Structure formats: C-alpha cells, structure tokens
Amino acid sequence: MLTPPIALKTDPLKNHYYIITVIISSMLIWIPFKIIYPYPFITIDSYYYIGAAYENANAGSWPIGYSKFIRLVGFISHSHLLLVTIQYLILQASFLYFFLTIRRLFNLSKLAINLLFAFLFFNPIFIIGSNHVMSDILFCSLAICWICQLLWILKQPKLYMLITQAVLLTTIFTIRYTALYFPLFSVIVLLISCQPAWRKCLGILLTFAILLSFIRFTRIEMEKVGGIRQFSSAAGWKQASNALYMYVHVFKKDNKPVPEKFKILHQLTRNYFKGPHTPVDLYHIDQEFTTGSFYVAAYESPLMRYLRIKKGENADVFEFKNIAPFGPLFNAYGTYLITRHPLAYINYVVLPDIVSYLIPFPEIYGTPNDLYYLWSNHLGKMAKSWFNLSSVSIPESSIRNRGIILSPYPMLFTIIHLIFVITFLIFITFKYNKDLDKYSQYAYILLATICIGNFIFTVLSASSVLRFQFTFIILEFTISLISINQIIAGKNNSNLSVP
C-alpha cells in the first residue's frame, strides 16, 4: 500500500532507528514464541472461518473476509505457521505505520513516544493474538491502516488516498460488520479535508460504490445459500437474542397481541420463560458459555426451538443453510420487542453492555478451555484437512503461562478506558488543544470520536469482550498519551510565563 512520506520533517535517522528496531525485535520475539507455541490457537469461531475457507464460501454465519484471507494464504501454502506469521507481520507493519504517523502529527515527549512504541510492539496480548486463527488481529491491522489514511487525508491529502481508504474500509467491513459506522468518518474527513470539491465528491462516491457493491454481492450470495436475500443472518439472530435478555424481565406484564408473523415464535418465547429455563443475564456473561449470546446458541432457546419446528428435530445447527433463513424474521421480532420495551432494553441490555465494555470479559484470552482441542465433527475435519493437522498438543505449563500473562488485561483495559475519559475531559474542558496546530487538532478529534462512536455502537448492540477492543484500546492509549503530554506542556508553559 502506498503511504505518505511520513516523517521527513521530524528526524529521518530516528525513524530508521525505530524501523530497524521493529524488524529485529519482531524476529527475536516471534521465533521463540513459535518454538513455545508451535500450533495456532483454534477456538470455536476458528472452525467457521476455516470451514468457509475450505468450501470457498461467499456467504456464511461470519463475515467472509477472514475466510478469504485464509484461502489467499492457502494459495502459497496451507501451513498454519505461515498463516499466523503473516498475520503477525501485517500487524507489525500496521503498528509501524501508525506509530510513525502519530510521531509525525503530534509533538510528543520522548517518554510518551517510548511508551507508545512499547505498548504497540512489545505487548504480549498482540503477540498472542497473532497466533489465533481469528479475525481480530487482521481487523485491527487493517483498521489501524485505514485510520492512518484518514489522518493523512486531513494532513496531506493525495489523490491515491481516496482509493486506498475506500478499499481498506470495504476490506475491513468484509472482516467484521461492526465497522458499519466507519463510513461516517470517511465522509466527514473527506468533507473537511483541504482538497478540491471534485476530489471530495469522488472520494465519497468511491467509498460508497465499493462498499455497496460488496453489500449487494453478499445479499445475492446469502439468497443462494439461505433462500432469502439479506446481508447478515447472524445480526438477526443477535437482535432477537438481545431482545430475549430483556423480555424475560417484562413478559409477565406484557399481554398485548403480536403481529401474525410473530405468533408462533412469541408463544414459544412466553412458554419458555414461564417454564423451567436456564437463568442468564448480561451482567454475568462470564457465567454462560456464549458470553452474551445464549439465546443464539443454547439448545433450549426459543429461537432454536423455532428452528427445529421449521427444519426438523435433527436439523444440524452448524449448517449455515439451516440457520440463515431465520435471520430476517428474528431481526424483525427482536426489533419489535425492543421498540415495545425501550426502557427495559436500556436497563437489561444497554447498561450491562456498558459494564462489559468498561470491564471487558477475557473470553478466549482468559482460561483456555479449547485452544488445543480439535473438533470431531465436519468442521473439525475441515480444519484438520486444511492445515494437515493430526493433533495440536502442547505442554500444560505453556497453556498455564499463557493464562498468567493475559490475566491482568481486563483490568488494564479498564484503567486505559478511565484514563482516556479523564484526560480527554481535562484536555477539552481546559482547552489544551489550543497549543496544537489545526491539523493535529483535527487528528485528535478524529481519534477520540472513533473511540466514542465505537462505545455507543457497541453498548447498543452487544456485550464486549477483550478481543473486540484491540483497535480502540490502542487509540485510547494514544489519545491519553497525547492529552497528558499537552496538559504537562501547558502547565510548564504557564509556569514559565509567571514572573
């Protein structure tokens, strides 16, 4: 990818030093790490990604971008070592791009620069994350590159950046649909950037032309598999699941009739909550195996019961063609319940989602229940075949050490969230931004707004776990360093001005 001339106005020799340090340290870290952990970490979601890559699927339960990445690497080799190594190298390259961009745009102290460098390149969670056959690290890498492109469009717009940011944005969207709100930032940046109006219009048109083409392609492919044209069936299941987390608390007082199309599903839901059932709530996602999606996955769930009524008792819920057709109905049903009980939704879904965002559950970065276990079903057979695996055994001590290393991260993320909020409020309230030039102010506001936008989007739609926050914890950490740096510099300038 083409990148701007990053730091010719800073210290090119220092940049070369950082680049060389990253190259050497990456090798010194990754090689021993892979000696200790020779196999990739394969979890539940991994099987769906690998299965979609194996079948070359164009639509599935999960976004197809990461599966296409697995398949792309497979053209070179089906080596699991190659896959995770490429993930790691892409991450390091994106971090380097981000680091040099921040260093160019903001006049940070030596201590702040070194802290950012260490956080990016010597952080165990990103090293361990690169060994997962999961979309998180690739999403983080490309999202960071996209954000850098937006920063450079603000600072030094070039014609090619209109294309690169549009392509990056769509690629990110193919990996994780939570990027749904990202185009808003592209439009805002293009509108306020210093370039001719025709280029701004061209950039916006390219952004939506490429993105909408992918959406249209996905809807057509979903229709081929599930018989219904939709963009994401998983979103429909999730919407209904969120509604049921709320509805269990209000169903006794709700006796209003429902639209005809919801009658069977609604009766199943009410009967389920009236009878014996597993008590779950979003304040305690650590106590159930789905970490916030119980009604999507549990056999006893009304949604699963409805599927079995329509598809048969022996319907394979791991087959996408069996679950895809219900996405639109479940989405409509979930939206119907939520709009009927908005305050209850805030109380039983949004508020616990805020808690889980501020104190994220470690999930697969916690106790490794299934990191080294190969499924025996058809998805497990695909994984074994794709990577030519017979086992993924590793010493118990290595697994235990992984858990020990990762155990502080939920608290660390909470601390970073709090520091970000406090320093951001101080920075804005006392107008420390006045010491930044116009482009640096725009860059600061963009980074902060992306974090705030992600918070709002997440708490309205899903419980947050550690891996969903990788990109945004990097931004929050960076913004906190910038804020603290400017606050300290402002205080020092005030002291110097006092006679």
Side-chain angles (χ1 to χ4, degrees):
M1 181 182 65
L2 293 172
T3 57
I6 294 177
L8 295 179
K9 293 183 180 178
T10 53
D11 183 353
L13 291 178
K14 195 71 171 178
N15 282 338
H16 295 154
Y17 164 77
Y18 285 122
I19 293 169
I20 293 170
T21 302
V22 169
I23 293 172
I24 295 174
S25 63
S26 296
M27 292 189 294
L28 292 177
I29 290 171
W30 189 246
I31 293 172
F33 177 82
K34 288 307 297 175
I35 292 174
I36 298 172
Y37 298 98
Y39 297 106
F41 300 138
I42 299 177
T43 55
I44 295 175
D45 290 6
S46 306
Y47 290 102
Y48 290 95
Y49 289 124
I50 298 168
Y54 185 92
E55 296 178 337
N56 196 21
N58 290 323
S61 301
W62 274 248
I64 53 90
Y66 186 65
S67 296
K68 294 299 184 184
F69 172 73
I70 294 174
R71 192 165 183 86
L72 182 63
V73 175
F75 285 121
I76 303 171
S77 170
H78 283 213
S79 164
H80 54 79
L81 175 60
L82 179 65
L83 175 70
V84 296
T85 299
I86 289 177
Q87 283 186 168
Y88 177 70
L89 294 177
I90 292 174
L91 182 71
Q92 297 300 95
S94 69
F95 281 176
L96 184 59
Y97 185 20
F98 180 75
F99 174 79
L100 295 179
T101 298
I102 294 299
R103 186 168 178 265
R104 172 66 179 86
L105 295 177
F106 298 96
N107 185 26
L108 296 178
S109 67
K110 184 177 181 180
L111 176 60
I113 284 292
N114 289 338
L115 285 173
L116 179 60
F117 187 85
F119 184 83
L120 292 173
F121 298 105
F122 301 109
N123 198 326
I125 199 166
F126 299 133
I127 300 165
I128 291 172
S130 297
N131 199 48
H132 278 266
V133 182
M134 295 284 284
S135 65
D136 309 302
I137 289 298
L138 186 63
F139 176 87
C140 177
S141 303
L142 297 181
I144 289 292
C145 289
W146 170 72
I147 290 166
C148 288
Q149 287 286 272
L150 295 186
L151 293 174
W152 280 106
I153 289 173
L154 287 173
K155 176 70 175 177
Q156 214 172 63
K158 304 291 183 184
L159 185 59
Y160 74 84
M161 294 180 190
L162 304 180
I163 301 172
T164 53
Q165 81 81 22
V167 171
L168 279 169
L169 177 61
T170 300
T171 305
I172 293 164
F173 196 66
T174 70
I175 296 171
R176 187 175 288 168
Y177 295 154
T178 51
L180 184 65
Y181 61 96
F182 281 15
L184 175 64
F185 296 107
S186 291
V187 171
I188 293 172
V189 166
L190 288 167
L191 288 176
I192 66 175
S193 61
C194 293
Q195 53 186 328
W198 70 268
R199 276 173 47 172
K200 294 180 182 182
C201 293
L202 177 62
I204 294 171
L205 286 173
L206 276 174
T207 297
F208 284 100
I210 299 173
L211 188 61
L212 292 175
S213 295
F214 167 72
I215 292 174
R216 183 175 184 276
F217 169 79
T218 301
R219 285 172 57 83
I220 292 171
E221 292 298 320
M222 291 286 279
E223 185 177 24
K224 291 178 182 178
V225 177
I228 298 177
R229 186 165 292 198
Q230 58 182 320
F231 179 65
S232 171
S233 69
W237 282 76
K238 183 62 178 175
Q239 181 81 331
S241 178
N242 284 343
L244 295 186
Y245 274 108
M246 170 272 297
Y247 195 64
V248 64
H249 299 281
V250 299
F251 80 95
K252 291 180 180 178
K253 300 178 181 179
D254 181 26
N255 295 309
K256 294 180 180 179
V258 299
E260 185 66 30
K261 64 179 179 179
F262 298 144
K263 279 189 175 179
I264 296 175
L265 178 57
H266 193 63
Q267 190 60 49
L268 286 172
T269 298
R270 292 183 61 82
N271 290 343
Y272 173 75
F273 288 136
K274 287 178 182 177
H277 61 274
T278 303
V280 293
D281 69 81
L282 291 175
Y283 282 106
H284 303 93
I285 61 172
D286 56 324
Q287 296 178 9
E288 45 112 337
F289 71 99
T290 66
T291 59
S293 297
F294 179 83
Y295 299 105
V296 171
Y299 181 85
E300 67 185 72
S301 158
L303 305 182
M304 282 294 184
R305 290 185 179 183
Y306 186 83
L307 179 148
R308 292 196 298 274
I309 288 173
K310 296 296 182 178
K311 291 287 185 177
E313 280 295 325
N314 298 320
D316 186 354
V317 297
F318 293 103
E319 284 285 351
F320 179 65
K321 65 181 180 181
N322 289 332
I323 65 175
F326 302 100
L329 175 66
F330 289 172
N331 185 62
Y333 179 62
T335 302
Y336 173 78
L337 292 180
I338 292 167
T339 53
R340 274 177 58 168
H341 308 282
L343 295 180
Y345 186 77
I346 291 172
N347 190 26
Y348 297 110
V349 178
V350 176
L351 290 181
D353 282 354
I354 291 174
V355 173
S356 69
Y357 190 94
L358 297 176
I359 311 172
F361 182 64
E363 196 211 20
I364 61 174
Y365 288 86
T367 304
N369 295 321
D370 61 348
L371 292 175
Y372 289 104
Y373 173 72
L374 285 173
W375 283 8
S376 58
N377 65 2
H378 70 284
L379 289 172
K381 291 176 182 177
M382 289 181 189
K384 293 176 184 177
S385 174
W386 185 265
F387 291 125
N388 193 27
L389 288 170
S390 57
S391 69
V392 285
S393 60
I394 196 170
E396 184 67 29
S397 60
S398 297
I399 300 177
R400 186 168 59 251
N401 290 337
R402 175 189 180 276
I404 293 171
I405 292 169
L406 293 174
S407 60
Y409 275 92
M411 183 58 67
L412 178 61
F413 276 38
T414 300
I415 292 170
I416 293 173
H417 287 319
L418 294 176
I419 293 174
F420 163 70
V421 171
I422 294 169
T423 57
F424 175 74
L425 291 175
I426 293 173
F427 183 87
I428 297 299
T429 303
F430 294 98
K431 299 180 179 178
Y432 285 104
N433 59 304
K434 67 181 183 296
D435 296 324
L436 297 173
D437 63 57
K438 181 177 72 171
Y439 299 111
S440 296
Q441 288 186 42
Y442 284 164
Y444 180 93
I445 293 169
L446 173 64
L447 296 176
T449 307
I450 290 174
C451 292
I452 295 168
N454 179 70
F455 169 77
I456 295 171
F457 181 85
T458 302
V459 301
L460 289 176
S461 59
S463 299
S464 186
V465 294
L466 211 62
R467 61 192 176 91
F468 293 165
Q469 298 188 18
F470 285 172
T471 304
F472 309 99
I473 210 69
I474 291 169
L475 299 186
E476 289 186 14
F477 185 83
T478 303
I479 296 164
S480 299
L481 288 177
I482 296 168
S483 300
I484 294 170
N485 187 82
Q486 292 303 121
I487 292 168
I488 294 173
K491 293 290 186 183
N492 291 338
N493 290 338
S494 298
N495 292 336
L496 290 174
S497 64
V498 176

